[in-house]
Amino acid sequence: MTGQFSRMENRSVPRAALVVPLLVAFLLTACGPASTAPGATTTATTAPTTAPVVPGVTDTEVVVGSWGPQDGPAGAYGAIDRTLDAYFKMINDQGGINGRKIRFIYENDSYQPAKTVAAVKKLVEEDKVFALCGGLGTAHNAAVMDYLVSNNVPHVWPATGTTALAVPLKKNIYAVQLNYTTEATLATQYALDTMGTKKIAVFYQNDAFGKEGLDAVQAELKKRNLPAATGVSYETADTNFSAQALKLQTSGADTVILYAVPKPGGSIIAEMGKIGYAPKLLSSSVINDPSIFQLAGTAINGMLIEAYLPAFDDTSNPKIVEYQAFMAKYASKEQIGGFTEAGYAYGQVFIEALKRAGKELTREGFMTNLDKMQNFTGSLVPSLSYSPTDHAGVKAAYFQAAKDGKFVTVTGFITLK
Amino acid sequence: MLSVTPDILTDLPWGQLLVNGLALGSLYALTAFGIVLIFKTTRVITFAQGETAMFSTFVAFTLLTAFQLPFAVAFVLTMLFAGVFGALIERVVIRRISTTTVLNPVIVTVGLSLILLGAAGWIWGYEIRTFPDPVVGPPFHLGTVVVSQLNALIFLVTLVLMTVLFAFFRFSPTGIAMRAVAENRMAAQLMGVSIGRMNALGWGMGTAMGAVTGMLIAPINYLDPSMMGDVALKAFAAAVVGGLTSLPGAVVGGLLLGIVDSVVGFEVPELRNTIAFALIVLVLVVRPGGLLGRHETKKV
């Protein structure tokens, strides 16, 4: 199944595998710590007389990889990689970056971390990708994190909000998405302070993603000396959630916070509706897409969903107009929504990083220049900054309410209290 | 999390758990019934039951959306489709493979399931779709217990199908002939029963049962090529627990697993499959023939 979604071209690049480690070592010493002023877009290194061999880079091409589910319980996220692919096509149509076209290869891991490992090894060792962009999932990123760090493969905007991406700092991993701890804490604070919540239950995925959400809710409650929330978990292989809906109802919670991917998330909302349980609902940004309305039915009305990118249907925002025009031209089969919006934004940030890395493209130069990004506002991300010691990405979010098949923005950007 | 206290019996919302469990169990039972029916008539353990059901459910979806047929009409047409589909599988594939080793049919049916999985993905795509609800409206209340209209329909359909099938096997000449084939192929053949026709009928009916499950579970589990994975596994387990040779056993096994799923899913959801399968191992250790099956011993 892997490879089915890869775009392969018959283009073999001579590679001397032994040279690469030597070269990396050489570049490490050649670059040294960044000493130029922030924002400078100087090329990273002065190349020797012969062009250096960098994985996935030739004079005319740069290979970029990603992974994510194209089917299974989180299959709806498949739109992210497909949109990213379309975005790179648009960039290629415009002539590429610094004379190079982007060859994008994305693998389907069906949201199974074991498959992610195989997919990433293929990308790094067979396809020789220069960098990754948008690899999806918390457990999935965790499964390949050591491997990517030890191989020094840059990964821009992994599609997860796990704090583990940026804490502790990893030189080659650049998080963008608001982390789940901040996100869940914001949800808890908003529920307790603004929505009049008395008792919380959390419906969460039984892995690092869901548990980070649950732990943050519990921590905030503990800080305020309030009783712990009832946690109700599900496994990614589960398909029926009637028992969990009942458990949430009998917990007596007046508010349920969701840390669930689209299919289980939509299903639990529908199931709660079926047994006549209508708590206040809040959700992580991970289901911020119109696809959730179909899955959840009318019981979703009133649910608050966090978002850290501008509303995808807010056509008063010129950046959104641009995104929608892109969708119409390059990804007309995909839906306007949170997932394609994310894919588009990933592309924007990655292309900016590639531009800043300059003509002499190396992994070290790419990362050194990305570390200098300050208050970048040229993408859908309201503002993005990195430093050699901070790869955490965005730190603010706002709430949207689900209303008759649409998301309505109900707050401005909020940061932690 | 695992709080097994003495008052667990009173703490749990037993009524609701039972209703949910029996609804889920009915669906397991219908699928398991199909597996047992196919096994009894053709001596083939099918691993394709989930995927034939999934494929049929996609056909139902096409009838409902592209052709805008009413649910009842699409339901019956899909059952007919599944019947023909199952019979065709038997005619074209199963009949031609050698059953001298147990492994041949296993590999063939596993292969069939993968083929159908890929075919469905290719034809209809992998995205998750919502399947139209056959019944809409407020749920029924029995005291504090809530029975959704869909669950009520599931009970009704299961009850009707089981009654019809019971009567079919008990009273109709064809049903009796099928039972005869299951009991003793040679003797049945000598009595003039067409083994081939009975085999095709067994596959057709078994596949149609799966299709019914698919159409009733899709409104809850959504429609995508992987929709039947978990259900088929549980149904298979139900068939084995019930005794693989016993049709009532499949029903009992299915209902039992549904209730276990519901209760364990409520108390410790992460152990849902663990406890279900531990129970299966236990049953098979204590009663090797399954709950209602016969333990067949072969004389060397």
Side-chain angles (χ1 to χ4, degrees):
Chain A
M1 179 121 326
T2 51
Q4 185 183 340
F5 300 93
S6 319
R7 291 171 49 247
M8 306 295 285
E9 283 158 40
N10 272 334
R11 193 174 195 334
S12 67
V13 182
R15 290 173 189 105
L18 281 173
V19 180
V20 178
L22 287 173
L23 238 143
V24 171
F26 165 75
L27 290 169
L28 276 169
T29 48
C31 290
S35 55
T36 42
T41 55
T42 51
T43 52
T45 171
T46 46
T49 44
T50 53
V53 178
V54 180
V57 176
T58 68
D59 284 344
T60 55
E61 181 183 85
V62 52
V63 186
V64 181
S66 181
W67 78 82
Q70 294 291 337
D71 52 32
Y77 293 142
I80 299 177
D81 272 342
R82 296 195 299 271
T83 308
L84 189 51
D85 187 41
Y87 188 85
F88 288 145
K89 266 195 196 96
M90 178 184 77
I91 296 295
N92 288 344
D93 283 356
Q94 294 165 2
I97 301 296
N98 298 323
R100 293 187 183 90
K101 296 274 172 81
I102 290 138
R103 181 153 65 92
F104 183 56
I105 304 169
Y106 63 99
E107 298 286 334
N108 174 22
D109 69 354
S110 306
Y111 206 59
Q112 293 169 22
K115 285 193 184 174
T116 313
V117 174
V120 168
K121 287 202 165 160
K122 174 192 170 280
L123 288 169
V124 171
E125 288 164 28
E126 286 175 39
D127 301 319
K128 302 269 195 293
V129 293
F130 168 72
L132 295 169
C133 175
L136 187 138
T138 301
H140 318 75
N141 267 284
V144 295
M145 193 172 285
D146 288 345
Y147 176 79
L148 291 179
V149 168
S150 65
N151 284 280
N152 202 32
V153 182
H155 191 182
V156 178
W157 202 334
T160 160
T162 173
T163 306
L165 290 177
V167 182
L169 176 89
K170 282 128 204 108
K171 190 165 91 70
N172 58 316
I173 295 176
Y174 292 85
V176 177
Q177 186 176 333
L178 177 73
N179 73 54
Y180 297 134
T181 298
T182 307
E183 189 186 64
T185 310
L186 285 175
T188 314
Q189 290 178 347
Y190 192 79
L192 294 169
D193 298 338
T194 314
M195 298 167 76
T197 289
K198 298 277 176 276
K199 195 167 187 317
I200 296 176
V202 183
F203 177 68
Y204 68 99
Q205 183 164 303
N206 190 16
D207 67 4
F209 152 62
K211 281 178 183 162
E212 184 171 341
L214 176 70
D215 289 349
V217 173
Q218 304 291 36
E220 182 64 21
L221 290 171
K222 199 172 171 202
K223 216 167 88 185
R224 299 175 180 222
N225 289 317
L226 292 170
T230 306
V232 177
S233 70
Y234 72 89
E235 309 295 318
T236 50
D238 286 355
T239 48
N240 192 292
F241 302 94
S242 53
Q244 279 100 328
L246 192 58
K247 178 94 182 180
L248 289 166
Q249 185 184 36
T250 47
S251 77
D254 57 12
T255 301
V256 174
I257 297 178
L258 275 77
Y259 267 78
V261 295
K263 198 172 158 184
S267 190
I268 193 76
I269 296 167
E271 288 291 326
M272 287 191 286
K274 274 185 205 152
I275 55 171
Y277 176 43
K280 300 181 189 95
L281 296 169
L282 288 115
S283 168
S284 158
S285 66
V286 299
I287 55 172
N288 179 11
D289 191 82
S291 55
I292 195 67
F293 292 118
Q294 261 208 26
L295 300 177
T298 51
I300 198 175
N301 275 333
M303 176 160 95
L304 294 187
I305 299 157
E306 281 186 61
Y308 60 95
L309 295 178
F312 51 78
D313 53 2
D314 176 12
T315 44
S316 68
N317 181 340
K319 285 184 188 175
I320 292 296
V321 173
E322 212 175 289
Y323 150 70
Q324 294 197 351
F326 155 81
M327 290 300 290
K329 185 160 178 209
Y330 283 92
S332 54
K333 278 186 189 161
E334 307 289 344
Q335 305 294 317
I336 299 286
F339 300 156
T340 56
E341 182 193 23
Y344 174 81
Y346 292 9
Q348 289 180 314
V349 170
F350 189 86
I351 289 302
E352 178 66 18
L354 208 55
K355 272 184 199 157
R356 292 182 181 213
K359 179 75 186 158
E360 300 298 331
L361 186 58
T362 65
R363 283 176 172 169
E364 286 306 318
F366 180 81
M367 294 188 281
T368 308
N369 284 293
L370 195 48
D371 278 344
K372 294 175 197 155
M373 185 181 269
Q374 281 298 312
N375 304 320
F376 171 61
T377 55
S379 79
L380 285 176
V381 182
S383 174
L384 187 60
S385 301
Y386 291 117
S387 81
T389 54
D390 179 11
H391 287 183
V394 303
K395 291 161 183 100
Y398 63 97
F399 285 96
Q400 298 178 310
K403 195 177 174 226
D404 304 328
K406 291 200 107 168
F407 294 110
V408 185
T409 302
V410 289
T411 69
F413 274 93
I414 304 173
T415 50
L416 280 181
K417 287 182 187 169
Chain B
M1 192 90 216
L2 189 72
S3 57
V4 185
T5 50
D7 53 8
I8 185 170
L9 291 174
T10 50
D11 267 5
L12 293 188
W14 282 103
Q16 190 68 58
L17 287 175
L18 229 68
V19 166
N20 292 354
L22 286 174
L24 197 56
S26 298
L27 296 174
Y28 294 160
L30 285 173
T31 313
F33 196 97
I35 293 171
V36 170
L37 195 58
I38 288 170
F39 177 71
K40 276 176 78 90
T41 47
T42 62
R43 292 279 135 181
V44 168
I45 299 176
T46 175
F47 288 88
Q49 179 76 349
E51 278 62 39
T52 51
M54 172 273 296
F55 200 87
S56 306
T57 310
F58 268 108
V59 170
F61 178 77
T62 308
L63 293 174
L64 285 167
T65 53
F67 295 93
Q68 296 283 327
L69 295 179
F71 198 92
V73 177
F75 191 88
V76 172
L77 284 179
T78 303
M79 277 184 77
L80 288 175
F81 163 82
V84 174
F85 187 41
L88 264 177
I89 291 176
E90 198 278 333
R91 281 262 143 136
V92 177
V93 184
I94 304 297
R95 190 171 296 190
R96 287 160 207 273
I97 57 170
S98 159
T99 50
T100 44
T101 74
V102 195
L103 216 51
N104 279 353
V106 169
I107 295 297
V108 166
T109 55
V110 167
L112 263 176
S113 79
L114 292 176
I115 291 168
L116 289 173
L117 209 59
W122 183 62
I123 300 171
W124 291 286
Y126 288 95
E127 71 259 39
I128 300 156
R129 299 161 192 265
T130 42
F131 192 83
D133 246 312
V135 276
V136 277
F140 305 108
H141 291 268
L142 307 167
T144 56
V145 177
V146 180
V147 184
S148 70
Q149 295 224 357
L150 184 64
N151 280 356
L153 181 73
I154 289 171
F155 292 135
L156 185 73
V157 168
T158 310
L159 210 65
V160 168
L161 269 180
M162 289 301 155
T163 312
V164 168
L165 284 168
F166 174 80
F168 172 78
F169 285 115
R170 189 71 196 251
F171 303 115
S172 84
T174 318
I176 293 166
M178 282 177 82
R179 274 167 58 210
V181 172
E183 285 297 320
N184 189 328
R185 296 171 82 88
M186 179 89 75
Q189 199 160 20
L190 290 172
M191 299 297 288
V193 176
S194 161
I195 302 275
R197 190 174 302 159
M198 292 306 129
N199 285 352
L201 196 60
W203 265 87
M205 286 172 66
T207 306
M209 304 284 287
V212 170
T213 309
M215 288 184 281
L216 291 178
I217 207 163
I220 309 168
N221 282 11
Y222 308 124
L223 179 66
D224 77 299
S226 63
M227 64 174 275
M228 288 297 285
D230 195 45
V231 181
L233 184 70
K234 291 282 167 61
F236 197 78
V240 173
V241 157
L244 212 53
T245 52
S246 162
L247 290 172
V251 178
V252 171
L255 294 177
L256 193 73
L257 266 175
I259 293 169
V260 169
D261 237 22
S262 170
V263 176
V264 178
F266 181 86
E267 202 53 26
V268 266
E270 51 272 66
L271 291 183
R272 176 141 61 180
N273 283 346
T274 315
I275 291 182
F277 284 91
L279 262 178
I280 290 161
V281 171
L282 191 74
V283 167
L284 293 181
V285 167
V286 177
R287 284 187 60 92
L291 288 175
L292 300 182
R294 278 176 317 203
H295 182 38
E296 290 182 10
T297 44
K298 273 203 180 116
K299 289 190 183 113
V300 187

